[in-house]
Amino acid sequence: DAWGLTADDLLLVLISGGGSALLPAPIPPVTLEEKQMLTKLLAARGATIQELNTIRKALSQLKGGGLAQAAYPAQVISLILSDVIGDPLEVIASGPTVASAHSVQDCLHILNHYGLRAALPRSVKTVLSRADSDPHGPHTCGHVLNVIIGSNSLALAEAQRQAEVLGYHAMVLSTAMQGDVKRVARFYGLLARVAAAHLTPSLAERPLEEEAELHQLAAELQLPDLQLEEALEAVAKAKGPVCLLAGGEPTVQLQGSGKGGRNQELALHVGVELGRQPLGPIDVLFLSGGTDGQDGPTKVAGAWVMSDLISQASAESLDIATSLTNNDSYTFFCRFRGGTHLLHTGLTGTNVMDVHLLILHPQ
């Protein structure tokens, strides 16, 4: 064994998102440049991140369980911070201590599909043919214990505890928020309206149209762990302020050259949604923040808004529509009320995706 480890040794591995880029070790004779070139070619032809990772793992000494295999027969314990929705162990940092479920045939199928089989460097063909003829077959990781010690669900559970200490009736909606920020913002806008009606049933007509659209949008967003019905029932029973929590990683379609990040852009969109119609005698606040403390190429983690955003922005002669069109949410929030709606945490040194808070406070 190259490392000189025995069955009496214990290897402790610390893994976080982004580890994949920090741990490139192509199987010789493949060079790092050749691996990068192949990855770029695949990406340019529309390969998914899953397909890219399948090829990367097959050409890596350490990804896809390679690190664990190199440590055998030592016991291996991996402590993992997850930055991926659903916490799939094989995806986080390309799973250096998780046996790859993909075969050489899977790789060849992907390369054929994108018409790259003929263009492969000789070194890549060599490595794939060598793996195909390996008499031991795919290795297992029976000597490994993988433990997730940090994740979005753990962050939300702690946020829920803190909210309850502060006197809120708190509930986690989902740890898998994904989809375009505009659709996610529409979801939160509808949720605020429906939840506000549940919280003050004596004062507001039940917004049946919005409720139907909310459920329809929830189905379209395909959030596997969404607790929407349970949350609305809990809101209806709540006697005071409510805090609904969610997390995940929405996406932004860039169309402008402004400065921002998905959290600030989501908050700005939600602010617009909240201002569409009156919400009754309830104060509503929405906050979106990145747990790494850095939202896009900015020095802030995110931003928060309330239902008076449109009127306040108008009073300050700020143009929300142009800010959104130009993906310029950071510039907007820097100017809006002197920047007081920006969320400053500083870099946290970790990343378990984003956290969203929707707070409803009866006046």
Side-chain angles (χ1 to χ4, degrees):
D1 177 59
W3 291 11
L5 297 179
T6 71
D8 294 327
D9 290 311
L10 173 67
L11 178 67
L12 192 60
V13 185
L14 308 179
I15 295 173
S16 68
S20 194
L22 296 174
L23 203 67
I27 300 171
V30 177
T31 66
L32 185 57
E33 289 72 27
E34 286 173 329
K35 196 174 170 189
Q36 288 171 324
M37 182 199 72
L38 182 55
T39 303
K40 282 178 183 165
L41 278 172
L42 280 162
R45 297 194 182 193
T48 65
I49 186 64
Q50 290 84 357
E51 289 171 328
L52 288 172
N53 282 339
T54 299
I55 301 294
R56 280 180 184 144
K57 287 180 189 181
L59 301 177
S60 171
Q61 295 181 66
L62 300 175
K63 297 177 171 70
L67 181 62
Q69 191 180 24
Y72 186 84
Q75 295 295 305
V76 179
I77 295 180
S78 281
L79 304 180
I80 302 169
L81 289 169
S82 171
D83 68 335
V84 185
I85 284 176
D87 307 333
L89 290 172
E90 71 281 1
V91 174
I92 304 161
S94 297
T97 58
V98 184
S100 178
H102 300 291
S103 67
V104 172
Q105 295 310 313
D106 294 323
C107 294
L108 295 177
H109 176 76
I110 292 166
L111 294 166
N112 279 334
H113 179 72
Y114 293 104
L116 290 172
R117 184 88 177 261
L120 292 180
R122 178 170 295 182
S123 58
V124 173
K125 290 178 182 172
T126 301
V127 168
L128 291 178
S129 63
R130 203 187 293 155
D132 203 22
S133 60
D134 185 353
H136 302 296
H139 60 278
T140 59
C141 287
H143 59 302
V144 179
L145 175 64
N146 289 303
V147 186
I148 289 185
I149 60 164
S151 68
N152 195 260
S153 55
L154 285 167
L156 289 175
E158 182 57 31
Q160 181 181 7
R161 274 193 291 273
Q162 293 294 336
E164 284 165 355
V165 167
L166 292 168
Y168 291 96
H169 188 96
M171 179 157 180
V172 174
L173 276 167
S174 169
T175 62
M177 267 295 166
Q178 52 193 332
D180 184 72
V181 285
K182 292 177 193 163
R183 290 162 63 77
V184 173
R186 180 68 180 151
F187 172 83
Y188 283 127
L190 290 164
L191 177 63
R193 174 110 169 85
V194 172
H198 277 68
L199 201 53
T200 53
S202 58
L203 293 166
E205 284 181 35
R206 195 156 164 183
L208 296 175
E209 270 184 43
E210 280 96 337
E211 208 160 324
E213 189 186 340
L214 176 65
H215 284 92
Q216 173 68 31
L217 191 47
E220 287 171 14
L221 287 170
Q222 295 182 325
L223 311 175
D225 63 347
L226 183 64
Q227 305 281 305
L228 182 56
E229 285 301 326
E230 296 84 346
L232 291 175
E233 282 172 25
V235 169
K237 290 177 189 163
K239 295 289 185 281
V242 169
C243 176
L244 299 176
L245 298 127
E249 209 163 75
T251 47
V252 174
Q253 297 287 328
L254 287 176
Q255 55 191 29
S257 56
K259 196 171 183 182
R262 62 176 176 264
N263 288 285
Q264 293 161 86
E265 183 145 328
L266 175 61
L268 192 49
H269 274 294
V270 171
V272 172
E273 292 291 342
L274 293 178
R276 282 184 188 274
Q277 53 201 135
L279 291 158
I282 288 190
D283 289 324
V284 177
L285 182 148
F286 176 82
L287 177 148
S288 183
T291 54
D292 58 355
Q294 183 171 17
D295 187 35
T298 70
K299 288 193 168 82
V300 298
W304 60 277
V305 295
M306 294 185 74
S307 48
D308 61 359
L309 176 90
I310 293 176
S311 57
Q312 291 286 345
S314 177
E316 294 186 36
S317 303
L318 294 173
D319 187 340
I320 297 177
T322 302
S323 297
L324 286 170
T325 303
N326 202 30
N327 299 115
D328 203 20
S329 53
Y330 177 68
T331 305
F332 173 86
F333 281 116
C334 281
R335 292 175 180 160
F336 182 62
R337 291 188 167 181
T340 52
H341 281 242
L342 285 166
L343 185 63
H344 291 271
T345 62
L347 294 175
T348 62
T350 189
N351 177 25
V352 290
M353 298 183 287
D354 303 337
V355 170
H356 306 150
L357 274 74
L358 184 66
I359 291 175
L360 298 108
H361 211 297
Q363 290 168 356

